[in-house]
Amino acid sequence: MSISKRIAERTSTKTHIEVAEWGENGTPEKVYYGPLLAGELNRIQRKHPQFLNNASFEAMVDLIILKAENGQGEKLFTLEDKAILMREEVGVISTVAAALMSGSSVEEHEKN
């Protein structure tokens, strides 16, 4: 298998984070995402140049809009949802954005 095919296969792998605050009936919402790719980071940094050094909450919300998916691979949010996400609790946004940045679930980090 070529290197480019191995990269494509590896970067298509999805993981998830469970977000209790976004769930229903006591069941947390599963937010699926793949690793943060170079092109995606470039897209975020065009709008938020200091993203890697000093990420604003608006940048984190933009990352969530870009990366968050449901179990079927459909986007959970659109730009129309940005105003609602900007009114979410800081702790929820930072937790979800941190997971999306790391490419692994919070549960995996807690194991280490």
Side-chain angles (χ1 to χ4, degrees):
M1 181 184 297
S2 71
I3 292 174
S4 60
K5 286 183 181 181
R6 289 193 307 259
I7 290 170
E9 184 177 297
R10 185 178 46 78
T11 58
S12 68
T13 302
K14 304 283 184 197
T15 189
H16 73 274
I17 180 175
E18 293 185 355
V19 184
E21 295 85 353
W22 295 350
E24 290 184 302
N25 303 318
T27 303
E29 182 70 32
K30 289 185 178 181
V31 176
Y32 290 84
Y33 57 94
L36 183 60
L37 306 177
E40 294 168 334
L41 181 58
N42 191 49
R43 183 174 167 187
I44 292 285
Q45 285 189 298
R46 268 188 258 131
K47 186 172 181 183
H48 307 282
Q50 294 299 312
F51 182 72
L52 289 177
N53 299 323
N54 187 19
S56 67
F57 281 96
E58 182 178 10
M60 289 184 219
V61 165
D62 285 342
L63 176 65
I64 292 168
I65 291 168
L66 178 66
K67 296 292 293 176
E69 299 177 350
N70 65 19
Q72 290 74 44
E74 300 163 336
K75 297 287 185 188
L76 285 178
F77 303 105
T78 67
L79 282 176
E80 295 165 354
D81 299 312
K82 185 172 183 174
I84 293 167
L85 287 167
M86 289 298 292
R87 291 192 299 268
E88 177 59 278
E89 294 176 27
V90 169
V92 175
I93 294 298
S94 60
T95 298
V96 174
L100 299 179
M101 280 290 296
S102 72
S104 58
S105 68
V106 170
E107 291 82 11
E108 290 171 357
H109 281 291
E110 289 174 351
K111 290 178 190 175
N112 296 329

